[in-house]
Amino acid sequence: MRRDFMDFYSKNTLAMEHSFIREILKVTKGVKGVISFAGGLPNPDTFPREIISEIFNEVIINEGSDVLQYGASEGDRQLIKAIKTFESVENIGDDELIITNGSTNGIYNYTRSMIDQDDIIITEAPGFPGSIAAMEACGAKLSGIDMDELGMIPELLDKELNALLGKKKPVKFIYLIPEFQNPSGRTMSLQRRRDIIKIAKKYDIPILEDQPYRELRYSGERIITLWELARTEFNDPEIVTICKSFSKILGPGLRLGFSSGAPSIIGQMVKWSQKSIVSPDCVTQRVAAHFIDRGYMHEHINRIIELYRPKRDAMLDALEQYMPDGVKWTKPEGGMFIWLMFDKAVDTDVLFDKAIENKIAFIPGSKFYSANNKKRNEVRLNFSYPTIDEIKKGVEILASLI
Ligand SMILES: Cc1ncc(COP(=O)(O)O)c(C=O)c1O
């Protein structure tokens, strides 16, 4: 007899669905003949295989008795030191940083630390489904705030916080992806960052800043993070917690990221980390520390930028060339995604089925909204994974299906 154990699973587990994006990935990644704009996958050509394999070998031989042992839940001291140097943000205390198992683990532990059933998180709409799913799995209710080209719209945020807090609703934090946002590719302007921090301070609601793409800028000026802005201009090192990731730089398979914020919040996250992963992977952490300490990082990031910039440009050119009148799209200065906005009559869930029949994959916009607030006339396209030829051909086919 095969049991299904349905009576045993928790309500939260049963309420969770499998991730659409991960399911799509299974049927499109590396499948012959399919042009995939669906995943958020870094291009494997960016993985620094040789250097990393040498450092792995060396670390295990020379430092194995240390790194093959259990490690601290906060993370490897050497990596924490290397990150502080790399980030060059002044005065980050040792109790203000935790290494995480990819940034997802940081976002999850932050959410776990804050959320009781039905507490509210403010997110961008559209937002990143990985985080939305993790937050909903923790019991949170999400309130999505519309964006314009410069990021979350401050007036709408102010209005929503005022309304929710006026009704004594438990709003726990504001979740933002200010740079090359997933899915829209938009970047929040400096003024917007200031405006959002001011609103957060006005209502005393903390911000979780998710920054996995920050290093991948192909044009325009680098903008200070909300995390650093709060520390420097607002003299408030507590209001913003940042999550960063090595996934889009060294490779997502390494599962390495970090979070930095108020000692009290980091302390709570350490407690969750102790319960779930004990410590991040000690070997990988030490390898990343050496990679940074030996000065490989900047050059490596520049190589990735040189690989991705022409892909972004090729996709923007192809959209210009092939898309019918009336279709709009974002022009990201970095990251991995372009966001297409169609006339309201176009249902991109339907377009998706048509595209799959024609061996083109993308993610329909509806997947980036929480359950109660879906728009269905948008599309996310990834440009980091396909080749330039695939980008041109894929956009041409996609345009012909609209
Ligand atoms: C906005 C955003 N946050 C977090 C993550 C998760 O990254 P990680 O691999 O570090 O868990 C991703 C990955 O695609 C992302 O796009």
PDB file of all heavy atoms in Angstrom, residues 40 101-105 107 128 131 175 177 181-182 210-213 244-248 252 255-257 337 380, ligand 1:
ATOM      1  N   GLY A  40      15.389  32.521 -14.766  1.00  0.00           N
ATOM      2  CA  GLY A  40      16.226  33.644 -14.327  1.00  0.00           C
ATOM      3  C   GLY A  40      17.646  33.137 -14.248  1.00  0.00           C
ATOM      4  O   GLY A  40      18.361  33.431 -13.315  1.00  0.00           O
ATOM      5  N   ASN A 101      22.189  30.885   2.910  1.00  0.00           N
ATOM      6  CA  ASN A 101      22.256  29.828   1.905  1.00  0.00           C
ATOM      7  C   ASN A 101      21.535  30.338   0.641  1.00  0.00           C
ATOM      8  O   ASN A 101      20.382  30.016   0.385  1.00  0.00           O
ATOM      9  CB  ASN A 101      21.539  28.614   2.529  1.00  0.00           C
ATOM     10  CG  ASN A 101      21.759  27.359   1.743  1.00  0.00           C
ATOM     11  OD1 ASN A 101      22.200  27.402   0.600  1.00  0.00           O
ATOM     12  ND2 ASN A 101      21.431  26.241   2.349  1.00  0.00           N
ATOM     13  N   GLY A 102      22.221  31.216  -0.110  1.00  0.00           N
ATOM     14  CA  GLY A 102      21.553  31.986  -1.170  1.00  0.00           C
ATOM     15  C   GLY A 102      20.751  33.094  -0.507  1.00  0.00           C
ATOM     16  O   GLY A 102      20.507  33.051   0.714  1.00  0.00           O
ATOM     17  N   SER A 103      20.317  34.096  -1.278  1.00  0.00           N
ATOM     18  CA  SER A 103      19.579  35.170  -0.610  1.00  0.00           C
ATOM     19  C   SER A 103      18.170  34.715  -0.230  1.00  0.00           C
ATOM     20  O   SER A 103      17.570  35.253   0.691  1.00  0.00           O
ATOM     21  CB  SER A 103      19.547  36.440  -1.453  1.00  0.00           C
ATOM     22  OG  SER A 103      18.991  36.181  -2.709  1.00  0.00           O
ATOM     23  N   THR A 104      17.637  33.689  -0.914  1.00  0.00           N
ATOM     24  CA  THR A 104      16.310  33.163  -0.555  1.00  0.00           C
ATOM     25  C   THR A 104      16.258  32.808   0.930  1.00  0.00           C
ATOM     26  O   THR A 104      15.284  33.099   1.616  1.00  0.00           O
ATOM     27  CB  THR A 104      16.004  31.888  -1.370  1.00  0.00           C
ATOM     28  OG1 THR A 104      16.116  32.209  -2.755  1.00  0.00           O
ATOM     29  CG2 THR A 104      14.622  31.348  -1.094  1.00  0.00           C
ATOM     30  N   ASN A 105      17.322  32.183   1.399  1.00  0.00           N
ATOM     31  CA  ASN A 105      17.390  31.766   2.799  1.00  0.00           C
ATOM     32  C   ASN A 105      17.357  32.988   3.730  1.00  0.00           C
ATOM     33  O   ASN A 105      16.703  32.970   4.783  1.00  0.00           O
ATOM     34  CB  ASN A 105      18.675  30.935   2.982  1.00  0.00           C
ATOM     35  CG  ASN A 105      18.962  30.536   4.397  1.00  0.00           C
ATOM     36  OD1 ASN A 105      20.036  30.855   4.918  1.00  0.00           O
ATOM     37  ND2 ASN A 105      18.046  29.854   5.021  1.00  0.00           N
ATOM     38  N   ILE A 107      15.955  35.951   2.925  1.00  0.00           N
ATOM     39  CA  ILE A 107      14.603  36.521   2.819  1.00  0.00           C
ATOM     40  C   ILE A 107      13.634  35.688   3.667  1.00  0.00           C
ATOM     41  O   ILE A 107      12.800  36.211   4.394  1.00  0.00           O
ATOM     42  CB  ILE A 107      14.154  36.554   1.336  1.00  0.00           C
ATOM     43  CG1 ILE A 107      15.048  37.530   0.557  1.00  0.00           C
ATOM     44  CG2 ILE A 107      12.684  36.931   1.200  1.00  0.00           C
ATOM     45  CD1 ILE A 107      14.992  37.367  -0.947  1.00  0.00           C
ATOM     46  N   PHE A 128       8.692  39.525  -7.178  1.00  0.00           N
ATOM     47  CA  PHE A 128       9.423  38.280  -7.450  1.00  0.00           C
ATOM     48  C   PHE A 128       8.694  37.082  -6.810  1.00  0.00           C
ATOM     49  O   PHE A 128       8.560  37.025  -5.586  1.00  0.00           O
ATOM     50  CB  PHE A 128      10.847  38.415  -6.909  1.00  0.00           C
ATOM     51  CG  PHE A 128      11.630  37.143  -6.917  1.00  0.00           C
ATOM     52  CD1 PHE A 128      11.792  36.407  -8.084  1.00  0.00           C
ATOM     53  CD2 PHE A 128      12.222  36.667  -5.752  1.00  0.00           C
ATOM     54  CE1 PHE A 128      12.508  35.231  -8.100  1.00  0.00           C
ATOM     55  CE2 PHE A 128      12.954  35.495  -5.754  1.00  0.00           C
ATOM     56  CZ  PHE A 128      13.098  34.767  -6.924  1.00  0.00           C
ATOM     57  N   SER A 131      10.112  35.049  -3.676  1.00  0.00           N
ATOM     58  CA  SER A 131       9.942  35.674  -2.350  1.00  0.00           C
ATOM     59  C   SER A 131       8.473  35.687  -1.953  1.00  0.00           C
ATOM     60  O   SER A 131       8.132  35.419  -0.802  1.00  0.00           O
ATOM     61  CB  SER A 131      10.463  37.113  -2.361  1.00  0.00           C
ATOM     62  OG  SER A 131      11.815  37.121  -2.679  1.00  0.00           O
ATOM     63  N   TYR A 175       8.971  45.125   1.285  1.00  0.00           N
ATOM     64  CA  TYR A 175       9.966  44.335   0.548  1.00  0.00           C
ATOM     65  C   TYR A 175      10.210  44.982  -0.818  1.00  0.00           C
ATOM     66  O   TYR A 175       9.265  45.171  -1.599  1.00  0.00           O
ATOM     67  CB  TYR A 175       9.444  42.906   0.383  1.00  0.00           C
ATOM     68  CG  TYR A 175      10.253  42.043  -0.548  1.00  0.00           C
ATOM     69  CD1 TYR A 175      11.562  41.683  -0.238  1.00  0.00           C
ATOM     70  CD2 TYR A 175       9.706  41.577  -1.746  1.00  0.00           C
ATOM     71  CE1 TYR A 175      12.306  40.879  -1.096  1.00  0.00           C
ATOM     72  CE2 TYR A 175      10.438  40.772  -2.612  1.00  0.00           C
ATOM     73  CZ  TYR A 175      11.737  40.435  -2.275  1.00  0.00           C
ATOM     74  OH  TYR A 175      12.466  39.644  -3.134  1.00  0.00           O
ATOM     75  N   ILE A 177      12.883  45.403  -4.402  1.00  0.00           N
ATOM     76  CA  ILE A 177      14.023  44.998  -5.243  1.00  0.00           C
ATOM     77  C   ILE A 177      14.365  46.239  -6.078  1.00  0.00           C
ATOM     78  O   ILE A 177      13.849  46.412  -7.184  1.00  0.00           O
ATOM     79  CB  ILE A 177      13.650  43.810  -6.166  1.00  0.00           C
ATOM     80  CG1 ILE A 177      13.014  42.690  -5.357  1.00  0.00           C
ATOM     81  CG2 ILE A 177      14.870  43.311  -6.943  1.00  0.00           C
ATOM     82  CD1 ILE A 177      12.273  41.656  -6.193  1.00  0.00           C
ATOM     83  N   GLN A 181      14.860  45.319 -11.231  1.00  0.00           N
ATOM     84  CA  GLN A 181      13.904  44.496 -10.492  1.00  0.00           C
ATOM     85  C   GLN A 181      13.522  43.226 -11.270  1.00  0.00           C
ATOM     86  O   GLN A 181      13.397  43.256 -12.506  1.00  0.00           O
ATOM     87  CB  GLN A 181      12.638  45.323 -10.206  1.00  0.00           C
ATOM     88  CG  GLN A 181      11.728  44.712  -9.149  1.00  0.00           C
ATOM     89  CD  GLN A 181      10.299  44.531  -9.653  1.00  0.00           C
ATOM     90  OE1 GLN A 181      10.026  44.625 -10.847  1.00  0.00           O
ATOM     91  NE2 GLN A 181       9.382  44.258  -8.742  1.00  0.00           N
ATOM     92  N   ASN A 182      13.361  42.163 -10.565  1.00  0.00           N
ATOM     93  CA  ASN A 182      12.779  40.941 -11.084  1.00  0.00           C
ATOM     94  C   ASN A 182      11.295  40.988 -10.706  1.00  0.00           C
ATOM     95  O   ASN A 182      10.989  41.002  -9.522  1.00  0.00           O
ATOM     96  CB  ASN A 182      13.461  39.730 -10.440  1.00  0.00           C
ATOM     97  CG  ASN A 182      12.974  38.421 -11.008  1.00  0.00           C
ATOM     98  OD1 ASN A 182      12.127  38.395 -11.877  1.00  0.00           O
ATOM     99  ND2 ASN A 182      13.504  37.325 -10.493  1.00  0.00           N
ATOM    100  N   ASP A 210      16.157  43.674  -1.366  1.00  0.00           N
ATOM    101  CA  ASP A 210      16.670  42.457  -2.016  1.00  0.00           C
ATOM    102  C   ASP A 210      17.513  42.908  -3.223  1.00  0.00           C
ATOM    103  O   ASP A 210      16.988  43.561  -4.128  1.00  0.00           O
ATOM    104  CB  ASP A 210      15.453  41.621  -2.456  1.00  0.00           C
ATOM    105  CG  ASP A 210      15.843  40.280  -3.029  1.00  0.00           C
ATOM    106  OD1 ASP A 210      17.011  39.894  -2.914  1.00  0.00           O
ATOM    107  OD2 ASP A 210      14.952  39.615  -3.612  1.00  0.00           O
ATOM    108  N   GLN A 211      18.797  42.564  -3.216  1.00  0.00           N
ATOM    109  CA  GLN A 211      19.706  43.128  -4.219  1.00  0.00           C
ATOM    110  C   GLN A 211      20.556  42.072  -4.937  1.00  0.00           C
ATOM    111  O   GLN A 211      21.787  42.186  -4.983  1.00  0.00           O
ATOM    112  CB  GLN A 211      20.660  44.106  -3.515  1.00  0.00           C
ATOM    113  CG  GLN A 211      20.104  45.484  -3.279  1.00  0.00           C
ATOM    114  CD  GLN A 211      20.126  46.359  -4.534  1.00  0.00           C
ATOM    115  OE1 GLN A 211      20.254  45.860  -5.656  1.00  0.00           O
ATOM    116  NE2 GLN A 211      20.012  47.655  -4.369  1.00  0.00           N
ATOM    117  N   PRO A 212      19.939  41.059  -5.561  1.00  0.00           N
ATOM    118  CA  PRO A 212      20.784  40.025  -6.175  1.00  0.00           C
ATOM    119  C   PRO A 212      21.477  40.447  -7.473  1.00  0.00           C
ATOM    120  O   PRO A 212      22.433  39.825  -7.887  1.00  0.00           O
ATOM    121  CB  PRO A 212      19.790  38.891  -6.455  1.00  0.00           C
ATOM    122  CG  PRO A 212      18.465  39.547  -6.565  1.00  0.00           C
ATOM    123  CD  PRO A 212      18.506  40.745  -5.676  1.00  0.00           C
ATOM    124  N   TYR A 213      20.959  41.521  -8.111  1.00  0.00           N
ATOM    125  CA  TYR A 213      21.497  41.888  -9.450  1.00  0.00           C
ATOM    126  C   TYR A 213      22.384  43.118  -9.425  1.00  0.00           C
ATOM    127  O   TYR A 213      22.841  43.569 -10.471  1.00  0.00           O
ATOM    128  CB  TYR A 213      20.314  42.132 -10.418  1.00  0.00           C
ATOM    129  CG  TYR A 213      19.409  40.952 -10.513  1.00  0.00           C
ATOM    130  CD1 TYR A 213      18.192  40.926  -9.859  1.00  0.00           C
ATOM    131  CD2 TYR A 213      19.799  39.819 -11.211  1.00  0.00           C
ATOM    132  CE1 TYR A 213      17.371  39.807  -9.909  1.00  0.00           C
ATOM    133  CE2 TYR A 213      18.994  38.698 -11.268  1.00  0.00           C
ATOM    134  CZ  TYR A 213      17.779  38.704 -10.612  1.00  0.00           C
ATOM    135  OH  TYR A 213      16.983  37.595 -10.661  1.00  0.00           O
ATOM    136  N   LYS A 244      21.877  40.145  -0.178  1.00  0.00           N
ATOM    137  CA  LYS A 244      22.613  40.047  -1.454  1.00  0.00           C
ATOM    138  C   LYS A 244      22.960  38.593  -1.718  1.00  0.00           C
ATOM    139  O   LYS A 244      22.882  37.756  -0.833  1.00  0.00           O
ATOM    140  CB  LYS A 244      23.866  40.924  -1.430  1.00  0.00           C
ATOM    141  CG  LYS A 244      23.529  42.401  -1.600  1.00  0.00           C
ATOM    142  CD  LYS A 244      24.764  43.250  -1.838  1.00  0.00           C
ATOM    143  CE  LYS A 244      25.245  43.208  -3.266  1.00  0.00           C
ATOM    144  NZ  LYS A 244      26.389  44.109  -3.509  1.00  0.00           N
ATOM    145  N   SER A 245      23.386  38.346  -2.958  1.00  0.00           N
ATOM    146  CA  SER A 245      23.573  36.951  -3.365  1.00  0.00           C
ATOM    147  C   SER A 245      24.802  36.810  -4.254  1.00  0.00           C
ATOM    148  O   SER A 245      25.129  37.724  -5.013  1.00  0.00           O
ATOM    149  CB  SER A 245      22.339  36.520  -4.156  1.00  0.00           C
ATOM    150  OG  SER A 245      22.528  35.243  -4.690  1.00  0.00           O
ATOM    151  N   PHE A 246      25.461  35.667  -4.151  1.00  0.00           N
ATOM    152  CA  PHE A 246      26.544  35.354  -5.092  1.00  0.00           C
ATOM    153  C   PHE A 246      26.013  34.593  -6.309  1.00  0.00           C
ATOM    154  O   PHE A 246      26.771  34.260  -7.202  1.00  0.00           O
ATOM    155  CB  PHE A 246      27.621  34.508  -4.398  1.00  0.00           C
ATOM    156  CG  PHE A 246      28.422  35.274  -3.379  1.00  0.00           C
ATOM    157  CD1 PHE A 246      28.086  35.257  -2.045  1.00  0.00           C
ATOM    158  CD2 PHE A 246      29.525  36.024  -3.767  1.00  0.00           C
ATOM    159  CE1 PHE A 246      28.809  35.975  -1.106  1.00  0.00           C
ATOM    160  CE2 PHE A 246      30.261  36.750  -2.840  1.00  0.00           C
ATOM    161  CZ  PHE A 246      29.904  36.724  -1.501  1.00  0.00           C
ATOM    162  N   SER A 247      24.685  34.328  -6.306  1.00  0.00           N
ATOM    163  CA  SER A 247      24.126  33.459  -7.348  1.00  0.00           C
ATOM    164  C   SER A 247      24.355  33.991  -8.755  1.00  0.00           C
ATOM    165  O   SER A 247      24.635  33.238  -9.675  1.00  0.00           O
ATOM    166  CB  SER A 247      22.621  33.290  -7.140  1.00  0.00           C
ATOM    167  OG  SER A 247      22.379  32.480  -6.035  1.00  0.00           O
ATOM    168  N   LYS A 248      24.193  35.290  -8.950  1.00  0.00           N
ATOM    169  CA  LYS A 248      24.262  35.841 -10.303  1.00  0.00           C
ATOM    170  C   LYS A 248      25.697  36.239 -10.653  1.00  0.00           C
ATOM    171  O   LYS A 248      25.949  36.782 -11.721  1.00  0.00           O
ATOM    172  CB  LYS A 248      23.306  37.038 -10.420  1.00  0.00           C
ATOM    173  CG  LYS A 248      21.879  36.720  -9.989  1.00  0.00           C
ATOM    174  CD  LYS A 248      21.290  35.640 -10.869  1.00  0.00           C
ATOM    175  CE  LYS A 248      19.908  35.147 -10.624  1.00  0.00           C
ATOM    176  NZ  LYS A 248      19.225  34.926  -9.464  1.00  0.00           N
ATOM    177  N   PRO A 252      24.585  30.108  -9.012  1.00  0.00           N
ATOM    178  CA  PRO A 252      23.544  29.826  -8.011  1.00  0.00           C
ATOM    179  C   PRO A 252      23.708  28.488  -7.316  1.00  0.00           C
ATOM    180  O   PRO A 252      23.227  28.292  -6.204  1.00  0.00           O
ATOM    181  CB  PRO A 252      22.244  29.868  -8.814  1.00  0.00           C
ATOM    182  CG  PRO A 252      22.617  29.819 -10.252  1.00  0.00           C
ATOM    183  CD  PRO A 252      24.041  30.260 -10.374  1.00  0.00           C
ATOM    184  N   ARG A 255      24.928  28.355  -3.726  1.00  0.00           N
ATOM    185  CA  ARG A 255      23.969  28.726  -2.669  1.00  0.00           C
ATOM    186  C   ARG A 255      24.621  29.600  -1.599  1.00  0.00           C
ATOM    187  O   ARG A 255      24.760  29.208  -0.443  1.00  0.00           O
ATOM    188  CB  ARG A 255      23.348  27.470  -2.010  1.00  0.00           C
ATOM    189  CG  ARG A 255      22.690  26.478  -2.919  1.00  0.00           C
ATOM    190  CD  ARG A 255      21.717  27.071  -3.909  1.00  0.00           C
ATOM    191  NE  ARG A 255      20.643  27.832  -3.339  1.00  0.00           N
ATOM    192  CZ  ARG A 255      20.295  29.062  -3.778  1.00  0.00           C
ATOM    193  NH1 ARG A 255      20.941  29.650  -4.764  1.00  0.00           N
ATOM    194  NH2 ARG A 255      19.295  29.695  -3.216  1.00  0.00           N
ATOM    195  N   LEU A 256      25.001  30.767  -1.993  1.00  0.00           N
ATOM    196  CA  LEU A 256      25.678  31.666  -1.055  1.00  0.00           C
ATOM    197  C   LEU A 256      25.127  33.084  -1.189  1.00  0.00           C
ATOM    198  O   LEU A 256      24.959  33.589  -2.306  1.00  0.00           O
ATOM    199  CB  LEU A 256      27.180  31.669  -1.382  1.00  0.00           C
ATOM    200  CG  LEU A 256      28.157  31.801  -0.233  1.00  0.00           C
ATOM    201  CD1 LEU A 256      27.872  30.827   0.884  1.00  0.00           C
ATOM    202  CD2 LEU A 256      29.587  31.627  -0.744  1.00  0.00           C
ATOM    203  N   GLY A 257      24.842  33.694  -0.050  1.00  0.00           N
ATOM    204  CA  GLY A 257      24.398  35.084  -0.037  1.00  0.00           C
ATOM    205  C   GLY A 257      24.666  35.649   1.349  1.00  0.00           C
ATOM    206  O   GLY A 257      25.278  34.977   2.193  1.00  0.00           O
ATOM    207  N   PHE A 337      16.339  40.917 -16.998  1.00  0.00           N
ATOM    208  CA  PHE A 337      14.958  40.832 -17.481  1.00  0.00           C
ATOM    209  C   PHE A 337      14.472  42.094 -18.177  1.00  0.00           C
ATOM    210  O   PHE A 337      14.840  43.210 -17.799  1.00  0.00           O
ATOM    211  CB  PHE A 337      14.010  40.560 -16.300  1.00  0.00           C
ATOM    212  CG  PHE A 337      14.414  39.370 -15.492  1.00  0.00           C
ATOM    213  CD1 PHE A 337      14.968  39.534 -14.231  1.00  0.00           C
ATOM    214  CD2 PHE A 337      14.284  38.087 -16.008  1.00  0.00           C
ATOM    215  CE1 PHE A 337      15.361  38.438 -13.486  1.00  0.00           C
ATOM    216  CE2 PHE A 337      14.678  36.985 -15.268  1.00  0.00           C
ATOM    217  CZ  PHE A 337      15.217  37.156 -14.010  1.00  0.00           C
ATOM    218  N   ARG A 380       7.434  38.542 -18.791  1.00  0.00           N
ATOM    219  CA  ARG A 380       8.847  38.720 -18.448  1.00  0.00           C
ATOM    220  C   ARG A 380       9.712  37.937 -19.421  1.00  0.00           C
ATOM    221  O   ARG A 380       9.494  36.751 -19.632  1.00  0.00           O
ATOM    222  CB  ARG A 380       9.126  38.227 -17.025  1.00  0.00           C
ATOM    223  CG  ARG A 380      10.549  38.548 -16.575  1.00  0.00           C
ATOM    224  CD  ARG A 380      10.942  37.853 -15.283  1.00  0.00           C
ATOM    225  NE  ARG A 380      11.285  36.454 -15.495  1.00  0.00           N
ATOM    226  CZ  ARG A 380      11.756  35.635 -14.550  1.00  0.00           C
ATOM    227  NH1 ARG A 380      11.903  36.078 -13.305  1.00  0.00           N
ATOM    228  NH2 ARG A 380      12.049  34.377 -14.812  1.00  0.00           N
TER     229      ARG A 380
HETATM  230  C1  LIG B   1      14.814  39.273  -6.842  1.00  0.00           C
HETATM  231  C2  LIG B   1      15.429  37.982  -6.429  1.00  0.00           C
HETATM  232  N1  LIG B   1      15.636  37.740  -5.134  1.00  0.00           N
HETATM  233  C3  LIG B   1      16.191  36.605  -4.708  1.00  0.00           C
HETATM  234  C4  LIG B   1      16.576  35.627  -5.597  1.00  0.00           C
HETATM  235  C5  LIG B   1      17.145  34.345  -5.063  1.00  0.00           C
HETATM  236  O1  LIG B   1      18.467  34.189  -5.285  1.00  0.00           O
HETATM  237  P1  LIG B   1      19.357  33.105  -4.537  1.00  0.00           P
HETATM  238  O2  LIG B   1      19.846  32.177  -5.582  1.00  0.00           O
HETATM  239  O3  LIG B   1      20.464  33.905  -3.933  1.00  0.00           O
HETATM  240  O4  LIG B   1      18.556  32.436  -3.495  1.00  0.00           O
HETATM  241  C6  LIG B   1      16.389  35.823  -6.962  1.00  0.00           C
HETATM  242  C7  LIG B   1      16.759  34.784  -7.912  1.00  0.00           C
HETATM  243  O5  LIG B   1      16.413  34.764  -9.052  1.00  0.00           O
HETATM  244  C8  LIG B   1      15.800  37.046  -7.381  1.00  0.00           C
HETATM  245  O6  LIG B   1      15.564  37.300  -8.679  1.00  0.00           O
END
